[in-house]
Amino acid sequence: MTPRIAVVGGGMAAARFAERYTALGGPGTVTVHGAEPRAPYNRVLLAEVLTGRYDAESIALPLGGATVRPGSEVVAVDTAGRTLRTADGAEESWDELVLATGANPVLPPVRGLRRPDGSGLTGGVHTLRTLDDCTRLAEEAVGAARAVVIGGGVLGVSAARALAGLGVRVEIVHQAPHLIERQLDPEAAAVLRERLRSLGVDCYPGNRARAVHGGARAAAVELATGYRLDCDLVVLACGTRPRTGLAHAAGLPVGTGVLVDDQLAAAPHVSAVGDCAEHRGTVHGLAGPAWEQADVLARRLSGAEPDARYPGSSPRARLSTGDLEYAAFGTVDETLDPGLDVLRLTDATRGSYKKLVLRGDRLVGAILLGDLATVDALAGAFADGGALVGHPLHLLTRGVTR
């Protein structure tokens, strides 16, 4: 029998699985059902599309020999009968189902985000999750003078940098004590904040947005302190929530995300990868782990490695937007473990910050901000996990000696 593999979702994890499965010589057919009216693309580069550095076509992702069906939203799955139904009423049979439904933007509890009739977001309020979001925001940014970005994580910083590059004055409101708190320590975040200020972006960490004012169109964001930030645009960058409705309705196990084991299986003949998948209690929500999961599943289902297992992903992140760059690996908060040592190099003049977190002679975490010249050597040392030879300073200056 020639297996029919249906992939539900047209994002980065779906594209990676499809491309790897066909590259590995997987038998049968792969069909990718995407709700968006376009083929899968690299969401990581949306901020660069906003600035005009890339266009929509240049961030398209390869799919190997898979068939892609844009605008084919799957609305129901029957795991017993192995069928799915799309929004237009069409039914399709499958032998293996891969859920790659991704995640939705989180809308924070802020008054005035939605129109009074509940029909959508208030004028001037945007999310940045899709190319259509990007197009709408770019159009409105042309005549805007001021923008408020709610959320100072990776997406919020990227969006703020992109809008500043378009000549918009930007202010970031972030509830956590410092920017990108999941991947940067306070010292790195302080350097990043100064870099952003030099680009025309002001930051308000440790603050919460309470309301959007302006009626039919946003004109100001009110903070919990009562202080108001005037604006023409509001960008919501408050994280994402896994899309699990389809899986839940199909009777599949769901926690925060679709629960999967080390084979990335949620049920017999049903798997999940990417932002919708929860593995060992973790939903990563990052492109790197999503692709690692897709690679493992492709090896297993293609037969190239039938016993392939996903052990989890070590925390890794990298941001490159304009002249803002950082990379973070593993444990970046040494205060969590008294057995850790730290080596730091800070260059306030150049706006760079480098940090190694060590347990004895082994690298367990690192941050590079503003200067990524040694990122490949550092990433290799982190992935290797072995004892470092020579002084670890080499990792921050001219590579590593093993």
Side-chain angles (χ1 to χ4, degrees):
M1 184 181 69
T2 301
R4 299 160 297 179
I5 299 178
V7 182
V8 181
M12 296 176 66
R16 179 74 172 197
F17 168 80
E19 189 277 328
R20 295 311 304 153
Y21 183 89
T22 55
L24 291 168
T29 61
V30 178
T31 304
V32 178
H33 296 268
E36 290 187 58
R38 62 183 81 243
Y41 54 86
N42 190 337
R43 295 185 197 279
V44 173
L45 296 175
L46 283 178
E48 301 300 327
V49 174
L50 183 59
T51 64
R53 181 179 179 185
Y54 297 113
D55 58 22
E57 289 70 29
S58 64
I59 65 169
L61 292 171
L63 290 160
T67 298
V68 60
R69 294 183 182 171
S72 176
E73 181 182 5
V74 175
V75 296
V77 168
D78 180 353
T79 58
R82 297 193 198 176
T83 61
L84 59 81
R85 187 175 76 252
T86 58
D88 61 4
E91 288 197 359
E92 181 175 310
S93 298
W94 48 265
D95 300 300
E96 291 285 344
L97 182 71
V98 178
L99 296 175
T101 49
N104 289 318
V106 170
L107 300 185
V110 175
R111 297 195 311 273
L113 280 185
R114 292 188 175 276
R115 296 177 182 139
D117 62 2
S119 61
L121 295 176
T122 297
V125 178
H126 298 263
T127 56
L128 187 56
R129 182 70 180 172
T130 69
L131 270 169
D132 286 345
D133 292 340
C134 193
T135 298
R136 287 189 290 268
L137 181 56
E139 289 172 350
E140 293 205 359
V142 172
R146 299 172 65 107
V148 173
V149 176
I150 302 177
V154 176
L155 178 61
V157 168
S158 298
R161 170 66 185 89
L163 288 170
L166 295 175
V168 181
R169 180 176 174 183
V170 186
E171 294 167 300
I172 298 175
V173 178
H174 191 47
Q175 193 166 346
H178 65 264
L179 298 174
I180 314 183
E181 74 283 357
R182 290 177 59 186
Q183 296 152 10
L184 300 182
D185 63 9
E187 293 84 356
V191 174
L192 175 61
R193 186 175 178 181
E194 288 302 314
R195 293 287 300 274
L196 286 168
R197 182 176 288 121
S198 71
L199 299 172
V201 179
D202 289 324
C203 303
Y204 298 83
N207 279 274
R208 180 175 61 84
R210 182 165 62 188
V212 173
H213 296 281
R217 183 169 187 84
V221 172
E222 179 186 346
L223 305 185
T225 59
Y227 187 71
R228 289 195 181 194
L229 303 173
D230 293 336
C231 62
D232 307 298
L233 298 174
V234 177
V235 179
L236 305 177
C238 304
T240 60
R241 183 175 293 114
R243 288 194 186 106
T244 59
L246 189 66
H248 187 271
L252 295 168
V254 173
T256 301
V258 182
L259 301 178
V260 298
D261 58 19
D262 288 0
Q263 290 185 304
L264 298 166
H269 306 288
V270 180
S271 306
V273 293
D275 291 356
C276 72
E278 179 178 349
H279 173 259
R280 298 185 187 178
T282 298
V283 177
H284 289 283
L286 296 169
W291 282 11
E292 290 172 6
Q293 291 171 1
D295 288 353
V296 169
L297 186 61
R299 295 200 304 272
R300 180 169 72 82
L301 293 185
S302 69
E305 190 181 336
D307 295 325
R309 297 290 188 275
Y310 173 67
S313 297
S314 299
R316 279 180 284 178
R318 182 168 179 174
L319 170 69
S320 179
T321 174
D323 50 4
L324 285 182
E325 292 185 305
Y326 84 83
F329 306 86
T331 301
V332 298
D333 186 357
E334 72 278 7
T335 64
L336 299 176
D337 185 341
L340 298 177
D341 297 312
V342 173
L343 175 63
R344 285 189 181 90
L345 291 178
T346 304
D347 187 336
T349 302
R350 298 181 180 178
S352 68
Y353 175 87
K354 304 176 184 182
K355 173 182 178 178
L356 300 182
V357 182
L358 305 156
R359 179 177 285 111
D361 57 3
R362 297 178 187 275
L363 179 69
V364 298
I367 298 173
L368 295 179
L369 174 66
D371 179 4
L372 271 59
T374 61
V375 66
D376 291 338
L378 194 153
F382 177 74
D384 180 63
L388 301 176
V389 177
H391 198 285
L393 183 63
H394 293 296
L395 281 170
L396 300 182
T397 55
R398 55 183 176 83
V400 59
T401 301
R402 294 198 183 121

